[in-house]
Coordinates of all heavy atoms in Angstrom, one line a residue:
M1 N 72.5 76.6 111.0 CA 73.3 77.7 110.5 C 74.1 77.2 109.3 O 74.7 76.2 109.2 CB 74.4 78.0 111.6 CG 73.8 79.0 112.7 SD 73.3 80.5 112.0 CE 72.8 81.3 113.5
A2 N 74.1 78.1 108.3 CA 74.9 77.8 107.1 C 76.3 78.1 107.3 O 76.7 79.0 108.1 CB 74.4 78.6 106.0
T3 N 77.1 77.3 106.7 CA 78.6 77.5 106.8 C 79.1 77.7 105.4 O 78.5 77.2 104.4 CB 79.3 76.4 107.5 OG1 79.0 75.2 106.8 CG2 78.9 76.2 108.9
M4 N 80.2 78.4 105.3 CA 80.8 78.6 104.0 C 82.3 78.0 104.1 O 82.8 77.9 105.2 CB 80.9 80.1 103.7 CG 79.6 80.7 103.3 SD 79.7 82.4 102.7 CE 80.7 82.2 101.2
V5 N 82.8 77.7 103.0 CA 84.2 77.3 102.9 C 85.1 78.4 102.3 O 84.8 78.9 101.2 CB 84.4 76.0 102.1 CG1 85.8 75.6 102.0 CG2 83.5 74.9 102.7
C6 N 86.0 78.8 103.1 CA 86.9 79.9 102.6 C 87.7 79.4 101.4 O 88.3 78.3 101.4 CB 87.8 80.3 103.8 SG 89.0 81.6 103.3
S7 N 87.7 80.2 100.4 CA 88.4 79.8 99.1 C 89.9 79.9 99.3 O 90.6 79.4 98.4 CB 87.9 80.6 98.0 OG 88.1 82.0 98.2
I8 N 90.3 80.5 100.3 CA 91.8 80.7 100.5 C 92.3 79.6 101.4 O 93.3 78.9 100.9 CB 92.1 82.0 101.2 CG1 91.6 83.2 100.3 CG2 93.6 82.2 101.5 CD1 92.2 83.2 98.9
C9 N 91.8 79.4 102.5 CA 92.4 78.4 103.4 C 91.5 77.1 103.5 O 91.9 76.2 104.2 CB 92.5 78.9 104.8 SG 91.0 79.4 105.6
K10 N 90.4 77.1 102.7 CA 89.6 75.9 102.6 C 88.9 75.5 104.0 O 88.6 74.4 104.2 CB 90.3 74.7 102.1 CG 91.1 75.0 100.8 CD 90.2 75.4 99.7 CE 90.9 75.6 98.4 NZ 90.1 76.2 97.3
K11 N 88.9 76.5 104.9 CA 88.3 76.2 106.2 C 86.8 76.5 106.2 O 86.4 77.5 105.6 CB 89.0 77.0 107.2 CG 89.4 76.3 108.5 CD 90.4 77.1 109.3 CE 89.9 78.5 109.6 NZ 90.8 79.3 110.5
K12 N 86.0 75.8 106.9 CA 84.6 76.1 107.1 C 84.5 77.2 108.1 O 85.2 77.2 109.1 CB 83.8 74.9 107.6 CG 83.6 73.9 106.4 CD 82.8 72.7 106.9 CE 82.6 71.7 105.9 NZ 81.8 70.5 106.4
F13 N 83.6 78.2 107.8 CA 83.4 79.2 108.8 C 82.0 79.7 108.7 O 81.3 79.4 107.8 CB 84.4 80.4 108.5 CG 84.1 81.1 107.2 CD1 83.4 82.3 107.2 CD2 84.6 80.6 106.0 CE1 83.1 83.0 106.0 CE2 84.4 81.3 104.8 CZ 83.6 82.5 104.8
D14 N 81.6 80.4 109.8 CA 80.2 80.9 109.8 C 80.2 82.3 109.2 O 80.9 83.2 109.8 CB 79.8 81.0 111.3 CG 78.3 81.4 111.4 OD1 77.8 82.0 110.4 OD2 77.8 81.3 112.5
P15 N 79.5 82.5 108.1 CA 79.6 83.8 107.4 C 79.1 85.0 108.3 O 79.5 86.1 108.1 CB 78.6 83.6 106.2 CG 78.0 82.3 106.4 CD 78.8 81.5 107.4
Q16 N 78.3 84.6 109.3 CA 77.8 85.7 110.2 C 78.9 86.2 111.1 O 78.8 87.3 111.7 CB 76.6 85.2 111.0 CG 75.4 85.0 110.1 CD 74.1 84.7 110.9 OE1 74.2 84.1 112.0 NE2 73.0 85.1 110.4
N17 N 79.9 85.4 111.3 CA 81.0 85.8 112.2 C 82.1 86.4 111.4 O 83.1 86.8 112.0 CB 81.5 84.6 113.0 CG 80.5 84.1 114.0 OD1 79.7 84.9 114.5 ND2 80.6 82.9 114.4
S18 N 82.0 86.4 110.1 CA 83.1 87.0 109.3 C 82.9 88.4 109.0 O 81.8 88.8 108.6 CB 83.2 86.2 108.0 OG 84.2 86.7 107.2
T19 N 83.9 89.2 109.1 CA 83.9 90.6 108.7 C 84.5 90.8 107.4 O 84.7 91.9 106.9 CB 84.6 91.5 109.8 OG1 85.9 91.0 109.9 CG2 83.8 91.4 111.1
S20 N 84.9 89.7 106.7 CA 85.7 89.8 105.5 C 85.1 88.9 104.4 O 85.9 88.2 103.8 CB 87.2 89.5 105.7 OG 87.7 90.3 106.8
M21 N 83.8 88.9 104.3 CA 83.2 88.1 103.3 C 83.8 88.4 101.9 O 84.1 89.5 101.6 CB 81.7 88.4 103.3 CG 81.0 87.8 104.5 SD 81.1 86.0 104.5 CE 79.9 85.7 103.2
P22 N 83.9 87.4 101.0 CA 83.5 86.0 101.3 C 84.6 85.1 101.9 O 84.7 83.9 101.6 CB 83.2 85.5 99.9 CG 84.2 86.2 99.0 CD 84.4 87.5 99.7
F23 N 85.5 85.7 102.6 CA 86.6 85.0 103.2 C 86.4 84.9 104.7 O 85.6 85.6 105.3 CB 87.9 85.7 103.0 CG 88.1 85.9 101.5 CD1 87.9 87.2 101.0 CD2 88.4 84.9 100.6 CE1 88.1 87.5 99.6 CE2 88.5 85.2 99.3 CZ 88.4 86.4 98.8
C24 N 87.1 83.9 105.4 CA 86.8 83.7 106.8 C 87.4 84.7 107.7 O 87.0 84.9 108.8 CB 87.4 82.3 107.1 SG 89.2 82.2 107.1
S25 N 88.4 85.4 107.1 CA 89.1 86.4 108.0 C 89.7 87.5 107.1 O 89.9 87.3 105.9 CB 90.2 85.7 108.8 OG 91.2 85.2 108.0
S26 N 90.1 88.6 107.8 CA 90.8 89.6 107.0 C 92.1 89.1 106.5 O 92.6 89.6 105.5 CB 91.0 90.8 107.9 OG 91.8 90.5 109.1
R27 N 92.7 88.2 107.2 CA 94.0 87.7 106.7 C 93.8 87.0 105.3 O 94.6 87.2 104.4 CB 94.5 86.7 107.7 CG 95.9 86.1 107.3 CD 96.4 85.2 108.4 NE 97.7 84.7 107.9 CZ 98.4 83.8 108.7 NH1 98.0 83.5 109.9 NH2 99.6 83.4 108.2
C28 N 92.8 86.2 105.2 CA 92.5 85.5 103.9 C 92.2 86.5 102.8 O 92.5 86.3 101.7 CB 91.4 84.4 104.1 SG 92.0 83.0 104.9
K29 N 91.5 87.5 103.2 CA 91.2 88.6 102.3 C 92.4 89.2 101.7 O 92.5 89.5 100.5 CB 90.3 89.7 103.0 CG 89.6 90.6 102.0 CD 88.7 91.5 102.8 CE 87.9 92.4 101.9 NZ 87.0 93.3 102.6
Q30 N 93.4 89.4 102.6 CA 94.7 90.0 102.2 C 95.4 89.0 101.3 O 96.0 89.4 100.3 CB 95.5 90.3 103.4 CG 95.0 91.5 104.2 CD 95.0 92.8 103.4 OE1 96.0 93.1 102.7 NE2 93.9 93.5 103.4
V31 N 95.3 87.7 101.6 CA 95.9 86.7 100.7 C 95.3 86.8 99.3 O 96.0 86.8 98.3 CB 95.8 85.3 101.3 CG1 96.2 84.3 100.3 CG2 96.5 85.2 102.6
D32 N 94.0 86.9 99.2 CA 93.3 87.0 97.9 C 93.8 88.3 97.2 O 94.0 88.2 96.0 CB 91.8 87.0 98.2 CG 91.1 87.0 96.8 OD1 91.1 85.9 96.2 OD2 90.5 88.0 96.5
L33 N 93.8 89.4 97.9 CA 94.3 90.6 97.3 C 95.7 90.5 96.8 O 96.0 90.9 95.7 CB 94.2 91.7 98.4 CG 94.5 93.1 97.9 CD1 93.4 93.6 96.9 CD2 94.6 94.1 99.0
G34 N 96.5 89.8 97.5 CA 97.9 89.6 97.1 C 98.0 88.8 95.8 O 98.8 89.0 94.9
R35 N 97.0 87.8 95.7 CA 97.0 87.0 94.4 C 96.6 87.9 93.3 O 97.2 87.8 92.2 CB 96.0 85.9 94.6 CG 96.5 84.8 95.5 CD 95.5 83.7 95.5 NE 96.0 82.6 96.4 CZ 95.3 81.5 96.6 NH1 94.2 81.2 95.9 NH2 95.8 80.6 97.4
W36 N 95.7 88.8 93.5 CA 95.3 89.7 92.4 C 96.5 90.5 92.0 O 96.7 90.7 90.8 CB 94.2 90.6 92.9 CG 92.8 90.0 92.7 CD1 92.0 89.5 93.7 CD2 92.0 89.9 91.5 NE1 90.9 89.0 93.2 CE2 90.8 89.3 91.8 CE3 92.3 90.3 90.2 CZ2 89.9 89.0 90.9 CZ3 91.3 90.1 89.2 CH2 90.1 89.4 89.6
L37 N 97.2 91.0 93.0 CA 98.3 91.9 92.7 C 99.4 91.2 91.9 O 100.1 91.7 91.1 CB 98.9 92.5 94.0 CG 97.9 93.5 94.6 CD1 98.5 94.0 95.9 CD2 97.5 94.7 93.7
N38 N 99.5 89.9 92.2 CA 100.5 89.1 91.5 C 100.0 88.6 90.2 O 100.7 87.8 89.5 CB 100.9 87.9 92.4 CG 101.7 88.3 93.6 OD1 102.5 89.3 93.5 ND2 101.6 87.6 94.7
E39 N 98.8 88.9 89.8 CA 98.2 88.5 88.6 C 98.0 87.0 88.4 O 98.1 86.5 87.3 CB 98.9 89.2 87.4 CG 98.9 90.7 87.5 CD 99.5 91.3 86.2 OE1 99.3 90.7 85.1 OE2 100.2 92.3 86.4
D40 N 97.9 86.3 89.5 CA 97.6 84.9 89.4 C 96.3 84.6 88.8 O 96.1 83.5 88.3 CB 97.7 84.3 90.8 CG 99.1 84.1 91.3 OD1 100.0 84.4 90.5 OD2 99.2 83.6 92.4
Y41 N 95.4 85.5 88.8 CA 94.1 85.3 88.2 C 94.0 85.5 86.7 O 93.0 85.5 86.1 CB 93.1 86.2 88.9 CG 92.7 85.8 90.3 CD1 93.6 85.5 91.3 CD2 91.3 85.6 90.6 CE1 93.2 85.1 92.5 CE2 90.9 85.2 91.8 CZ 91.8 85.0 92.8 OH 91.4 84.5 94.0
G42 N 95.2 85.9 86.1 CA 95.2 86.1 84.7 C 94.4 87.4 84.3 O 93.5 87.3 83.5
L43 N 94.8 88.5 84.9 CA 94.2 89.7 84.6 C 94.4 90.1 83.1 O 95.4 89.8 82.5 CB 94.7 90.8 85.5 CG 94.3 90.7 87.0 CD1 95.0 91.8 87.7 CD2 92.8 90.8 87.1
P44 N 93.4 90.8 82.5 CA 93.7 91.4 81.2 C 94.8 92.4 81.2 O 95.2 92.8 82.3 CB 92.3 92.0 80.8 CG 91.6 92.2 82.1 CD 92.1 91.2 83.1
A45 N 95.1 92.9 80.1 CA 96.2 93.9 80.0 C 95.9 95.1 80.9 O 94.7 95.4 81.2 CB 96.3 94.4 78.6
A46 N 96.9 95.7 81.4 CA 96.7 96.8 82.3 C 95.9 98.0 81.6 O 96.1 98.2 80.4 CB 98.1 97.4 82.7
P47 N 95.1 98.6 82.3 CA 94.3 99.7 81.7 C 95.2 100.8 81.3 O 96.1 101.2 82.0 CB 93.3 100.1 82.8 CG 94.0 99.6 84.1 CD 94.8 98.4 83.7
N48 N 94.8 101.4 80.2 CA 95.6 102.6 79.8 C 94.7 103.9 79.9 O 93.5 103.8 80.2 CB 96.1 102.4 78.3 CG 94.9 102.1 77.4 OD1 93.9 102.7 77.5 ND2 95.2 101.2 76.4
E49 N 95.2 105.0 79.5 CA 94.5 106.2 79.7 C 93.2 106.3 78.8 O 92.2 107.0 79.2 CB 95.4 107.4 79.4 CG 96.5 107.5 80.5 CD 97.4 108.6 80.2 OE1 97.1 109.4 79.3 OE2 98.4 108.7 80.9
D50 N 93.2 105.7 77.7 CA 92.0 105.7 76.8 C 90.8 105.0 77.5 O 89.7 105.5 77.3 CB 92.3 105.0 75.5 CG 93.3 105.8 74.7 OD1 93.4 107.0 74.9 OD2 93.9 105.2 73.7
D51 N 91.1 104.0 78.3 CA 90.0 103.3 79.0 C 89.3 104.2 80.0 O 88.1 104.1 80.2 CB 90.5 102.0 79.7 CG 90.8 100.9 78.7 OD1 90.3 101.0 77.6 OD2 91.6 100.0 79.0
L52 N 90.1 105.0 80.6 CA 89.5 105.9 81.6 C 88.4 106.8 81.0 O 87.4 107.1 81.7 CB 90.6 106.8 82.2 CG 91.6 106.0 83.1 CD1 92.7 106.9 83.6 CD2 91.0 105.3 84.2
E53 N 88.6 107.2 79.8 CA 87.6 108.1 79.2 C 86.3 107.4 78.9 O 85.2 108.1 79.0 CB 88.2 108.7 77.9 CG 89.2 109.8 78.1 CD 89.6 110.4 76.8 OE1 88.7 110.6 75.9 OE2 90.8 110.8 76.6
S54 N 86.3 106.1 78.6 CA 85.1 105.4 78.3 C 84.3 105.0 79.6 O 83.2 104.7 79.5 CB 85.4 104.2 77.5 OG 86.2 103.3 78.2
E55 N 85.0 105.1 80.7 CA 84.4 104.7 81.9 C 83.9 106.0 82.6 O 84.5 106.5 83.5 CB 85.3 103.9 82.9 CG 85.6 102.6 82.3 CD 86.6 101.8 83.2 OE1 86.9 102.3 84.3 OE2 87.1 100.8 82.7
T56 N 82.7 106.5 82.2 CA 82.2 107.7 82.7 C 81.2 107.5 83.9 O 80.6 108.5 84.3 CB 81.6 108.5 81.6 OG1 80.6 107.7 81.0 CG2 82.6 109.0 80.6
G57 N 81.0 106.3 84.2 CA 80.1 106.0 85.3 C 78.7 105.9 84.9 O 77.8 105.7 85.8
E58 N 78.4 105.9 83.6 CA 77.0 105.7 83.2 C 76.7 104.2 83.2 O 77.2 103.5 82.4 CB 76.8 106.3 81.8 CG 76.9 107.8 81.8 CD 76.7 108.4 80.4 OE1 75.9 107.8 79.7 OE2 77.3 109.3 80.0
Y59 N 75.8 103.8 84.1 CA 75.5 102.4 84.2 C 74.1 102.2 84.6 O 73.7 102.8 85.5 CB 76.5 101.7 85.1 CG 76.6 100.2 84.9 CD1 77.3 99.8 83.8 CD2 76.0 99.3 85.8 CE1 77.5 98.4 83.6 CE2 76.2 98.0 85.6 CZ 76.9 97.5 84.5 OH 77.0 96.2 84.3
Ligands
ZN1 ZN1 90.3 81.6 105.2

């Protein structure tokens, strides 16, 4: 069985038992989400209304 290491808690876990890939648990997923919200990842500038027009879903 392959195991993965959770990037949040650094714990090994079985991906087949996780419902919150790529994290070991929903709790770690929430931690990651919190980091995003705190902009720890160095997000680009906040989107403005002009960007919405260019994202028409054509991909
Ligand atoms: Zn974890």
Side-chain angles (χ1 to χ4, degrees):
M1 279 296 182
T3 56
M4 288 185 67
V5 176
C6 177
S7 58
I8 300 301
C9 64
K10 310 297 183 188
K11 224 169 53 177
K12 285 183 181 175
F13 67 98
D14 184 347
Q16 290 189 331
N17 288 336
S18 174
T19 55
S20 306
M21 289 293 290
F23 308 103
C24 69
S25 65
S26 57
R27 183 176 175 179
C28 285
K29 194 175 185 179
Q30 288 298 313
V31 171
D32 185 69
L33 185 65
R35 287 186 181 182
W36 274 101
L37 295 177
N38 288 330
E39 297 187 37
D40 279 357
Y41 281 55
L43 292 177
N48 55 40
E49 291 178 10
D50 290 342
D51 285 341
L52 292 176
E53 281 187 39
S54 60
E55 291 177 9
T56 53
E58 290 179 37
Y59 203 73

